[in-house]
Amino acid sequence: MSENVVEAKPGKSVNPLLKLALEFGPLAIFFFANSYGDRLFGVAQDRRIFVATGIFIVASLVALALSRIVLGYLPRMAIVNAVVVSVFGGLTIALDDAFFIKVKPTIVNALFGCVLLGGLFFGRSLLALVLETVLQLDEEGWRKLTFRWGLFFFVLAALNEVVWRTQTQDFWVAFKVWGVMPLTMAFALAQTPLILKHELKPAKTEE
């Protein structure tokens, strides 16, 4: 769901590390370009974010194309991410204002939170649409897991606002790349007890 939530569908058997590289690669490239853009491209230090944003857009679109080739389908989250990065990154470059790329995670995570919690309000656990091929949970399990992820996305949105408004630009980029991913993975692992409790076990066949 978030920029880092893994989506899976039936398709080609792919190494999980390769899937992670497709998802995390554009962010890592963004960090690298922002850190060394002045030395690699000869731009002023305060212009690195704009070079990095342009490279981020290209990397996200390339990752989307590679996902289609490698996985055999286009993941919903990869499509959403490529579109959002292109829109907010494009605004950043066109208007020469880093505000747009900085506020992108806030808007995206808040949107995901609204979608998940809004779905619960109308009686639907929308997280199941993304993860149903990975997890088999009962109705209560999907409802609780969806609620937790919905709240977590709002936490990520709030954290992004605090960091980009109070810290340096370089710190924000580093947090976006090296902070959000570990937080998301730790949160996902923390849901293991809930998943095990509500997991649907395959029925045993009588011999």
Side-chain angles (χ1 to χ4, degrees):
M1 295 296 297
S2 81
E3 297 170 278
N4 306 302
V5 175
V6 177
E7 176 185 10
K9 283 186 178 180
K12 299 178 181 178
S13 178
V14 180
N15 189 305
L17 292 178
L18 180 56
K19 288 185 179 181
L20 183 63
L22 289 173
E23 294 181 2
F24 188 63
L27 272 176
I29 292 172
F30 176 63
F31 171 79
F32 184 82
N34 181 75
S35 298
Y36 303 102
D38 52 339
R39 281 168 275 181
L40 292 175
F41 306 105
V43 298
Q45 285 196 359
D46 62 347
R47 305 296 301 174
R48 290 178 303 171
I49 188 69
F50 300 102
V51 173
T53 297
I55 294 174
F56 191 22
I57 294 173
V58 174
S60 297
L61 294 174
V62 169
L64 182 63
L66 290 176
S67 294
R68 179 65 181 87
I69 296 171
V70 174
L71 304 179
Y73 66 94
L74 284 175
R76 294 188 188 97
M77 291 302 101
I79 296 173
V80 171
N81 184 62
V83 170
V84 172
V85 168
S86 297
V87 170
F88 283 87
L91 287 172
T92 295
I93 295 171
L95 301 179
D96 199 37
D97 191 342
F99 165 79
F100 296 100
I101 196 65
K102 290 178 180 179
V103 80
K104 177 192 77 70
T106 301
I107 294 176
V108 171
N109 285 311
L111 177 61
F112 285 155
C114 287
V115 168
L116 291 182
L117 297 184
L120 287 180
F121 181 79
F122 290 102
R124 298 196 64 187
S125 300
L126 298 178
L127 193 64
L129 297 179
V130 178
L131 299 178
E132 63 184 355
T133 59
V134 180
L135 301 174
Q136 297 296 322
L137 305 179
D138 58 31
E139 185 176 343
E140 182 183 1
W142 279 122
R143 186 169 60 252
K144 289 181 177 180
L145 192 62
T146 299
F147 179 73
R148 291 183 183 185
W149 273 104
L151 292 182
F152 180 68
F153 285 129
F154 280 114
V155 170
L156 289 181
L159 275 175
N160 185 69
E161 282 296 291
V162 170
V163 172
W164 85 261
R165 291 181 184 275
T166 63
Q167 304 300 316
T168 65
Q169 187 166 276
D170 286 347
F171 184 92
W172 171 77
V173 173
F175 172 77
K176 175 179 170 61
V177 178
W178 309 114
V180 174
M181 172 68 80
L183 282 174
T184 303
M185 294 180 68
F187 177 80
L189 288 174
Q191 307 316 304
T192 301
L194 173 68
I195 292 171
L196 293 177
K197 180 179 178 181
H198 294 278
E199 186 178 16
L200 295 176
K201 305 296 183 181
K204 294 183 179 179
T205 57
E206 295 184 2
E207 296 183 357

